[in-house]
Amino acid sequence: MKTYNFVACLMLAFSFVACEKSTDTSTEEIKTSIVSDYTVFMQNNNQLNAVVVNSTGEDISVESALISFNNIPSNSLKYRTPLDISYFYITNCQSHFQWYDASSATTKSIQLFNDLNSCVINVMATAHSIESAFIAYERELLGKDKQFVVRVNSLAQTTNNYTEIILDKKPVDIIASSDRLFVLTLDEFVTNTYYLSVIDLDTDVIIMELDLGIDALRLFTNNSGKVIVSYPELHTTIDPVSLDKEYTTYGENTEPGFITTKDFYMDGTGKFYFHKNMPSATVSEVPAIYDFEKNSTVVYLFENFLTETELNVKYNIAETTAIAYDDKNNYVLIGYKENGTTDKGGILRITPSPDFKLIDNLNLEGVPQTIFVK
């Protein structure tokens, strides 16, 4: 496969798009110099499964299936960190939680809500730590309004060992950091205002509730464990221990847009890899990298590094579905779905701007949803 040289060009203040700098001649394909393994979670036939992909200096190929992850519904709730991932799903009115540690390739599966009929609860968000699974849900109480609950279930045992914390507002998102649980809630009946409940996991007690105002739609953590509350036009960074806050606003039309991403990855330098919605682009869901330190975004439009034939025929890309970063080789991994099918996709590898190059591609019998690099 041929590769071409590219550079990044300025689109708007603090926002960049990777753009082609055409050349008359092509260069030889650049091969991987350091061996890396990728664990790829894929959607196929409305189920999730996983494969191990091996990258050598000569090739990238599927090495084996991850047999411990099978028959997980594709609509499962996902929670990931840089090192592990968990899925929560309900089948036949029974709740299941599967956890995978990518660093050690170990898995754990437990059944939750043995005391309740899972078909009468509505799970809003999930999270996990090394020790526990956290499930935020709502349920109807006979003759009363809905009850909002966070269940903390031990991962150390397969028995139904849990505690519950009652919330007074609807849970929207949930995240764990520094032995605390942060629950984004919405007062949907009175003020339509968002709040952040801070729960001490040593005591399972709400120690503080922060008023976040309107449009606080998503929670993330950065590489130092600070909690990021994402709004459409800004984000707030909260220290998980002191609860001190820092505010970052975006310039007009330069908001990074990671609030809607379905998959993301934070590298060791604090750069945030995600997929961004660009309605005016040939492919509307595209890879992007946001630098929290510089408050800047680099957006990679497919039409700027693929020819029309590559985009529409060879790779046949419909949208970005997963993203990761191979720091050993300085490769961005872009998982994508193919046009005209629900069950086929692939992975493109590129080097990030400013040394921007297309490296290679791997076709997959499934659509990548999450990629771990080992």
Side-chain angles (χ1 to χ4, degrees):
M1 186 199 73
K2 297 178 180 179
T3 60
Y4 302 86
N5 294 323
F6 305 89
V7 296
C9 73
L10 181 66
M11 179 180 71
L12 295 166
F14 299 108
S15 183
F16 299 83
V17 177
C19 298
E20 180 174 358
K21 189 91 166 188
S22 62
T23 58
D24 293 331
T25 59
S26 62
T27 61
E28 291 186 359
E29 182 176 356
I30 298 175
K31 298 296 185 178
T32 305
S33 59
I34 301 175
V35 174
S36 294
D37 286 335
Y38 310 138
T39 303
V40 184
F41 290 84
M42 304 185 300
Q43 176 182 312
N44 188 303
N45 195 27
N46 294 319
Q47 299 286 316
L48 291 170
N49 53 62
V51 295
V52 177
V53 172
N54 181 255
S55 165
T56 68
E58 300 299 327
D59 197 13
I60 177 173
S61 60
V62 175
E63 182 179 273
S64 61
L66 190 65
I67 59 175
S68 56
F69 264 79
N70 287 306
N71 302 318
I72 300 176
S74 60
N75 61 352
S76 301
L77 291 176
K78 177 180 77 173
Y79 179 85
R80 72 157 295 176
T81 75
L83 298 177
D84 56 12
I85 191 169
S86 61
Y87 291 97
F88 173 88
Y89 58 97
I90 297 174
T91 56
N92 299 321
C93 292
Q94 292 186 331
S95 296
H96 303 272
F97 185 89
Q98 286 206 42
W99 170 82
Y100 175 75
D101 184 341
S103 60
S104 62
T106 57
T107 63
K108 183 172 292 186
S109 178
I110 61 174
Q111 187 173 319
L112 304 178
F113 294 106
N114 290 333
D115 57 313
L116 293 174
N117 179 354
S118 294
C119 285
V120 301
I121 64 174
N122 183 22
V123 175
M124 316 299 294
T126 67
H128 69 259
S129 66
I130 298 296
E131 298 84 11
S132 302
F134 311 107
I135 314 296
Y137 71 98
E138 64 180 12
R139 62 185 174 194
E140 300 279 354
L141 295 180
L142 187 62
K144 298 182 180 180
D145 293 332
K146 293 178 181 178
Q147 184 180 53
F148 305 119
V149 186
V150 173
R151 177 169 292 204
V152 182
N153 207 111
S154 173
L155 291 177
Q157 311 174 45
T158 57
T159 58
N160 211 28
N161 182 19
Y162 68 89
T163 59
E164 291 195 326
I165 301 103
I166 306 300
L167 305 171
D168 61 357
K169 302 175 186 67
K170 181 180 180 177
V172 175
D173 203 0
I174 187 171
I175 207 161
S177 182
S178 301
D179 294 323
R180 288 179 173 177
L181 194 64
F182 297 82
V183 186
L184 180 65
T185 63
L186 173 63
D187 185 356
E188 61 179 345
F189 298 114
V190 182
T191 64
N192 209 34
T193 299
Y194 289 87
Y195 294 84
L196 189 67
S197 294
V198 184
I199 300 173
D200 185 332
L201 291 175
D202 291 329
T203 60
D204 292 332
V205 171
I206 299 174
I207 59 176
M208 184 172 289
E209 184 178 67
L210 305 175
D211 187 339
L212 300 178
I214 62 172
D215 293 334
L217 302 180
R218 194 84 181 267
L219 298 180
F220 302 94
T221 56
N222 64 17
N223 57 343
S224 62
K226 291 184 178 180
V227 177
I228 298 166
V229 183
S230 184
Y231 300 76
E233 298 177 352
L234 60 93
H235 68 261
T236 302
T237 304
I238 302 175
D239 186 287
V241 179
S242 68
L243 301 181
D244 292 338
K245 297 185 285 293
E246 297 178 2
Y247 301 96
T248 302
T249 58
Y250 314 130
E252 185 177 359
N253 297 322
T254 64
E255 55 276 357
F258 54 72
I259 199 168
T260 61
T261 189
K262 295 180 181 178
D263 189 49
F264 59 87
Y265 174 74
M266 179 83 72
D267 73 13
T269 67
K271 291 181 179 178
F272 189 77
Y273 300 70
F274 66 105
H275 36 102
K276 177 180 176 65
N277 185 261
M278 297 283 288
S280 61
T282 302
V283 176
S284 59
E285 285 290 325
V286 298
I289 304 173
Y290 177 73
D291 190 324
F292 278 92
E293 294 296 323
K294 297 179 180 179
N295 189 21
S296 63
T297 307
V298 178
V299 182
Y300 296 88
L301 302 182
F302 287 106
E303 59 265 37
N304 286 340
F305 65 91
L306 296 177
T307 67
E308 183 177 357
T309 300
E310 287 174 329
L311 180 59
N312 298 318
V313 180
K314 183 175 182 179
Y315 305 130
N316 195 22
I317 296 173
E319 62 178 320
T320 300
T321 58
I323 193 162
Y325 177 60
D326 179 352
D327 60 350
K328 295 179 184 177
N329 297 290
N330 191 32
Y331 291 161
V332 179
L333 281 67
I334 304 166
Y336 64 88
K337 176 185 176 181
E338 290 187 8
N339 276 301
T341 175
T342 58
D343 292 334
K344 288 186 179 296
I347 296 173
L348 291 176
R349 295 195 297 180
I350 65 173
T351 53
S353 178
D355 299 320
F356 183 40
K357 293 182 177 68
L358 172 64
I359 304 302
D360 55 19
N361 161 262
L362 174 67
N363 294 321
L364 293 169
E365 292 298 321
V367 180
Q369 304 293 307
T370 302
I371 304 170
F372 286 96
V373 178
K374 185 176 179 180

